[in-house]
Amino acid sequence: MDFARIPRLSLDLLRGFRAAARHLSFTRAAQELCLTQPAVSREIRTLEEQIGTPLFRRSNRTLQLTQAGQELYRAVDEALALIAARVGGAAVRAGAG
């Protein structure tokens, strides 16, 4: 894999994508993240531009994940869950000392 060609993705963009993909709603993702709906929409557009592919199909006030969106959602959900588990475990160990 050519890691030099992989864009440096912001965790904030990935969190926004994860919430939007889970809810299939930029509005509900914004509520979850304490952001505005336009801010989440901008994050998704930025992420789509960075990776060069659409992640959502937008039609008649509904969202659907594209195939690329589904694949990225699975990867991002797993990665962020793993990070949260590791960070949570580190915090517990630090408090025990």
Side-chain angles (χ1 to χ4, degrees):
M1 181 179 285
D2 185 3
F3 288 105
R5 299 190 69 199
I6 298 172
R8 295 179 63 182
L9 302 175
S10 157
L11 281 177
D12 287 335
L13 295 181
L14 296 175
R15 284 187 193 109
F17 167 71
R18 180 190 196 195
R22 183 173 51 253
H23 295 293
L24 292 176
S25 166
F26 292 165
T27 300
R28 282 185 269 164
Q31 291 168 345
E32 176 182 320
L33 300 169
C34 299
L35 297 172
T36 64
Q37 184 275 336
V40 171
S41 183
R42 277 192 306 274
E43 287 183 349
I44 299 304
R45 288 202 190 279
T46 298
L47 183 59
E48 289 174 328
E49 289 170 5
Q50 287 182 355
I51 65 174
T53 191
L55 299 170
F56 292 94
R57 277 189 288 286
R58 299 152 174 92
S59 63
N60 298 332
R61 302 178 56 94
T62 63
L63 283 179
Q64 293 179 320
L65 286 168
T66 62
Q67 182 65 34
Q70 291 174 15
E71 292 170 9
L72 184 61
Y73 174 66
R74 284 190 294 272
V76 168
D77 189 50
E78 183 179 320
L80 292 179
L82 181 60
I83 290 168
R86 294 296 183 255
V87 170
V92 169
R93 286 190 300 277

